[in-house]
Amino acid sequence: MSSPTSPTLNLDGLDLAALLCSRVCHDVISPVGAIVNGLEVLEDDQDESMRTFALELIGKSARQASARLKFARIAFGAAGSAGASIDLADAESVAKGMFSDEKTKLTWSAPQALFPKNKVKLLLNLVMVATSAIPRGGLIDVVVSGDGEAPTLVLKAKGSHARIPPHVEELMAGSPESGTVDAHGILPFYAGLVARAAAMDVRFAIEGDEVTITATPAVIDASEDSDGEASDTALA
């Protein structure tokens, strides 16, 4: 694996923006489409049971679209001016909103504190990476300890057929095997960018049906030997 501090793929800013926009659109197009379908039923069908169903569909889909946009605003967006901090309570709120109607449950343990923006963005992006580790759903447990300058982020994803997502380590290291990144891989690639900006190391481990993702403050060490001894799965 290439050195995680020296990514081999430096994505053009326009391409990065386009791929992130594609990811956000992918996340919201389904609930928005469901809202449109529900409105069409209300316009064309006078059956009371169908109209009730349509209203329930519109309400559920509107909540899903809103939750996904609120999440994306913090996870991918500016969420405040440069150098701003983000309240972990806000991060918890948007993260839990993403899973309110899903097959995956989220538990969250974190101090009530303001953390540097990039560390919160990393945490939220790792939540989504953890989701892809349990494709059939399950439980994601998030634990944040330490202060904002030197936190430890531990995410445990447990569920049937749990696995470290394919290519996620190379993508986060900025060294995808294909030499390119597409809309499917942009989230872990972006998470790696944020991890390096936040000076955090990210590591993956799996035991049985549980995948553990751990992010800790990076240790600045010029020794390649030291880096090699730490772990082959250090990603930032």
Side-chain angles (χ1 to χ4, degrees):
M1 181 179 294
S2 300
S3 169
T5 56
S6 303
T8 59
L9 177 61
N10 292 310
L11 200 62
D12 177 82
L14 290 175
D15 290 336
L16 176 63
L19 288 168
L20 285 175
C21 286
S22 179
R23 169 73 196 208
V24 173
C25 290
H26 173 273
D27 288 345
V28 300
I29 196 167
S30 178
V32 169
I35 292 170
V36 172
N37 291 338
L39 290 173
E40 290 176 347
V41 170
L42 289 179
E43 291 176 355
D44 300 334
D45 200 317
Q46 299 304 313
D47 181 79
E48 193 61 32
S49 63
M50 286 300 297
R51 292 177 67 83
T52 299
F53 170 78
L55 285 171
E56 291 175 351
L57 176 64
I58 291 169
K60 177 181 177 180
S61 300
R63 288 190 295 271
Q64 286 181 338
S66 176
R68 294 177 185 185
L69 287 171
K70 288 177 180 177
F71 183 93
R73 179 177 177 268
I74 297 180
F76 308 137
S81 59
S85 297
I86 298 175
D87 194 328
L88 284 177
D90 292 337
E92 177 183 6
S93 176
V94 299
K96 287 187 173 179
M98 286 286 288
F99 300 102
S100 60
D101 296 310
E102 300 292 339
K103 59 186 177 180
T104 300
K105 302 300 181 183
L106 180 73
T107 62
W108 186 283
S109 176
Q112 297 293 312
L114 294 172
F115 268 40
K117 179 170 63 177
N118 280 339
K119 290 184 171 67
V120 178
K121 289 162 71 74
L122 173 62
L123 177 60
L124 291 178
N125 278 274
L126 291 180
V127 167
M128 298 311 296
V129 172
T131 303
S132 64
I134 43 174
R136 298 192 178 184
L139 173 68
I140 297 174
D141 179 57
V142 177
V143 177
V144 180
S145 57
D147 60 27
E149 295 307 312
T152 297
L153 317 177
V154 180
L155 298 87
K156 294 182 180 292
K158 186 173 183 177
S160 176
H161 292 75
R163 80 281 194 272
I164 296 175
H167 311 299
V168 70
E169 294 172 292
E170 306 98 279
L171 284 163
M172 288 194 66
S175 301
E177 184 177 355
S178 64
T180 61
V181 62
D182 58 17
H184 295 290
I186 191 58
L187 193 149
F189 181 85
Y190 179 71
L193 291 176
V194 177
R196 286 185 285 278
M200 297 285 284
D201 284 333
V202 180
R203 301 167 189 262
F204 289 80
I206 183 168
E207 183 174 352
D209 61 356
E210 183 175 86
V211 173
T212 301
I213 307 172
T214 305
T216 55
V219 176
I220 306 302
D221 191 339
S223 169
E224 289 294 328
D225 290 338
S226 175
D227 289 343
E229 291 173 2
S231 171
D232 287 339
T233 57
L235 301 177

